[in-house]
Amino acid sequence: MSFKFVRELPTPAVVKEIHPVSAALAEIKKERDRMISDVILGHDDRFHRSLFC
């Protein structure tokens, strides 16, 4: 199988430059990332409860 190169994808830095995020939105993302991490690491049992309820 071969691929045809249409155009180069932008780097994450370029995407962040084109679409800046407000400080408030960045803080919301940081908090949600922490919540997800807590579930994955077993510090929060929400996922476990939803599987076995």
Side-chain angles (χ1 to χ4, degrees), residues 20-34:
V21 175
S22 69
L25 189 56
E27 189 60 37
I28 290 170
K29 182 184 181 318
K30 182 178 176 182
E31 176 63 20
R32 289 182 181 168
D33 287 350
R34 186 196 58 76

Side-chain angles (χ1 to χ4, degrees), residues 36-52:
I36 292 168
S37 176
D38 286 350
V39 171
I40 291 171
L41 295 174
H43 302 293
D44 185 320
D45 67 350
R46 270 185 264 198
F47 182 69
H48 185 266
R49 285 185 300 189
S50 68
L51 285 178
F52 300 105

